[in-house]
Amino acid sequence: MARRVSYQILDMPDERFAVAATIEPDKTMVRTGFATQAEADAWVEGLRAIMAGLGAPVSLAVREFPGSLPLNEVLAFLGKAPTEPG
């Protein structure tokens, strides 16, 4: 069975863009260094084409934010996320 792939485009502090892609259940890779969001979008379309050949759907991770997410805000949110007892 093909695994799902989710992605999010990140707005980096150096004014470049990155794409974080996660293959279920927990394999994440990050591609950095895109000068524009259009370059990042084009890379995602290439990923979508490759994964379609494998039968793996590619979808946006945070559907409420179809554009890029500022990395600093994402990290701040993750730093405030509750931790599990352990």
Side-chain angles (χ1 to χ4, degrees):
M1 177 184 226
R3 296 181 181 181
R4 294 175 192 254
V5 178
S6 62
Y7 75 93
Q8 193 66 49
I9 297 175
L10 303 171
D11 187 356
M12 305 299 287
D14 66 357
E15 298 184 6
R16 291 183 175 265
F17 295 86
V19 178
T22 302
I23 300 173
E24 287 183 341
D26 62 357
K27 301 283 185 197
T28 300
M29 52 96 38
V30 178
R31 171 73 161 84
T32 62
F34 298 105
T36 65
Q37 186 168 345
E39 287 179 9
D41 288 334
W43 187 86
V44 168
E45 288 308 312
L47 174 66
R48 192 181 307 276
I50 291 168
M51 298 310 288
L54 301 172
V58 175
S59 62
L60 189 58
V62 182
R63 294 174 196 227
E64 294 82 16
F65 297 98
S68 62
L69 289 175
L71 180 62
N72 291 341
E73 291 181 25
V74 171
L75 293 176
F77 172 77
L78 293 173
K80 294 179 184 177
T83 57
E84 294 183 30

